[in-house]
Amino acid sequence: MSAEEALKATYPGDELTFSQFRDNRRVVVPAGKLFEILAFLKNEQHFDMLSEITAVDYLEYEGAKDRFGVVYVLVNTKTGERLILKTHVNDPEPLLPSVYSLWKSADWLEREVYDMFGIRFSGHPDLRRILTPDEFTAYPLRKDYPLKGRGERHNFPVITRAES
């Protein structure tokens, strides 16, 4: 039984949307069921590798109902099967459950999404910035972030190549 068939059989009344683009099978799940479905995929469908977590900002995107899409790429290392799972969160407090307890690789991946988009992960053991300084107050990959910054670069010391 494929992962898609197993999801349809296990969550028949839930709002799961399936699609495929080239070789990538995708499923959109409600944020309230995210952790439960990811745990099912890991424990029952043997997706033992979380290869990526990223986010998409749909601000001013035509037809978008939600501000952010958070994308999880799962791999079954025995079969090579890949599954892309997406859920949505919104402002003012975009929050999802951490999947660190399922895959330890979520540690840095969730921190990166938090640092770039401001999406928080409840239950993450050490959710802090990973690419920008701790004093940084904005989220650079949000579409409402100015391309030239907000002047915060002037507040940080310049590190030369020789000093790094």
Side-chain angles (χ1 to χ4, degrees):
M1 179 184 292
S2 73
E4 182 177 334
E5 293 168 343
L7 284 171
K8 286 178 180 175
T10 307
Y11 302 97
D14 294 315
E15 300 169 13
L16 305 183
T17 306
F18 296 90
S19 64
Q20 184 167 349
F21 180 74
R22 297 189 177 152
D23 291 338
N24 292 318
R25 290 179 301 117
R26 305 177 296 191
V27 58
V28 179
V29 304
K33 290 277 189 176
L34 176 70
F35 187 85
E36 179 183 339
I37 290 173
L38 285 172
F40 171 78
L41 289 169
K42 180 180 182 194
N43 299 325
E44 304 298 326
Q45 295 297 307
H46 311 292
F47 283 93
D48 54 345
M49 181 176 160
L50 173 67
S51 110
E52 182 64 42
I53 301 175
T54 189
V56 180
D57 186 352
Y58 291 111
L59 181 68
E60 299 179 12
Y61 190 84
E62 187 175 331
K65 298 175 184 170
D66 299 292
R67 171 76 192 262
F68 299 104
V70 180
V71 179
Y72 297 80
V73 179
L74 307 177
V75 179
N76 180 330
T77 57
K78 289 183 182 172
T79 64
E81 184 179 7
R82 291 171 37 106
L83 182 66
I84 299 170
L85 190 139
K86 184 195 284 185
T87 193
H88 295 98
V89 291
N90 290 294
D91 279 335
E93 279 293 322
L95 178 70
L96 288 172
S98 173
V99 295
Y100 176 79
S101 62
L102 298 173
W103 297 278
K104 300 302 180 214
S105 62
D107 184 6
W108 285 41
L109 301 172
E110 289 178 345
R111 285 179 61 189
E112 183 179 6
V113 170
Y114 164 68
D115 194 11
M116 295 290 109
F117 292 93
I119 298 168
R120 296 184 176 276
F121 294 90
S122 64
H124 189 284
D126 186 21
L127 191 62
R128 59 186 162 94
R129 291 190 175 269
I130 191 168
L131 297 171
T132 59
D134 292 337
E135 304 83 30
F136 206 76
T137 58
Y139 303 104
L141 290 185
R142 286 187 174 196
K143 287 190 175 175
D144 54 359
Y145 184 79
L147 290 177
K148 292 184 178 180
R150 294 188 171 132
E152 61 273 314
R153 288 182 180 176
H154 306 294
N155 297 330
F156 297 108
V158 175
I159 299 173
T160 64
R161 185 176 295 267
E163 295 170 329
S164 63

